[in-house]
Amino acid sequence: MPAETELNAGDTCLVGIAPTVVHIASVHHFDPPLVTGMLPRPAYYLEILRQGEAHDPELEDQGYALDPVGAEPIHIELLFRPYAFLETGDEVVDHDGRAWRFDGPWDRHPFDGQQTTIPAWPLELLSRNGDPAPEDTAALTQQTHTDSHEEELQRWTRLALAEPSTDQP
């Protein structure tokens, strides 16, 4: 390929982005797909932040939107997902008997309305889309019996080079 100084209108060139680590701040789902004036219309956007950048809820425009199935030839590889053994909407009970709803990796809510803290591991699955499958219950108990919230947080922080944005520890 010619150097950029030798390019003329209509020439072909390759443009690439070096592999980089990002973390997903949020996932946006559009049903019907979003009308943007471009095809294909996106059904999802990933809001991503560069490695080392923490989400700031006070900022309106932070990070980048990425259509994971858009026309751009990108390859996404998952390095780590905190709480991969939980799904959004899962209801669990912790070691201390306190019930929680899981709404995302750093977004959990106790049913008792008390001050939010960290669930005491191990966790037991109470509900997943109605009734949990026995294998899901066993997998969750096993994972949280040998691991901890602190270890999940440390792994994520080490990869993202940032702290999760949350009022929760």
Side-chain angles (χ1 to χ4, degrees), residues 12-166:
T12 300
C13 70
L14 295 176
V15 177
I17 299 172
T20 187
V21 175
V22 299
H23 56 100
I24 298 173
S26 61
V27 177
H28 303 280
H29 177 247
F30 308 108
D31 186 16
L34 189 63
V35 177
T36 61
M38 295 174 53
L39 294 175
R41 293 182 172 152
Y44 289 93
Y45 272 154
L46 303 179
E47 186 178 330
I48 59 174
L49 297 173
R50 291 185 311 249
Q51 188 179 40
E53 185 177 357
H55 177 72
D56 183 346
E58 299 296 319
L59 295 177
E60 276 188 44
D61 294 321
Q62 183 183 17
Y64 305 91
L66 175 71
D67 179 359
V69 294
E72 298 83 10
I74 60 171
H75 171 74
I76 299 173
E77 180 181 332
L78 178 64
L79 298 178
F80 176 70
R81 177 185 166 245
Y83 289 90
F85 42 82
L86 288 173
E87 296 179 10
T88 300
D90 278 357
E91 296 176 359
V92 299
V93 63
D94 70 11
H95 177 72
D96 297 336
R98 194 170 183 200
W100 299 78
R101 178 182 165 89
F102 177 79
D103 289 320
W106 314 120
D107 189 12
R108 59 199 175 271
H109 306 280
F111 288 143
D112 61 15
Q114 298 297 315
Q115 181 180 6
T116 304
T117 58
I118 300 169
W121 289 27
L123 305 175
E124 182 181 329
L125 188 59
L126 295 175
S127 174
R128 173 174 288 165
N129 298 321
D131 293 318
E135 59 271 12
D136 293 336
T137 301
L140 174 65
T141 301
Q142 178 185 8
Q143 182 69 35
T144 60
H145 186 72
T146 59
D147 218 340
S148 71
H149 167 79
E150 291 78 16
E151 289 174 287
E152 290 285 292
L153 177 59
Q154 287 173 5
R155 278 192 295 270
W156 187 88
T157 301
R158 190 170 46 250
L159 286 168
L161 300 178
E163 295 289 328
S165 65
T166 178

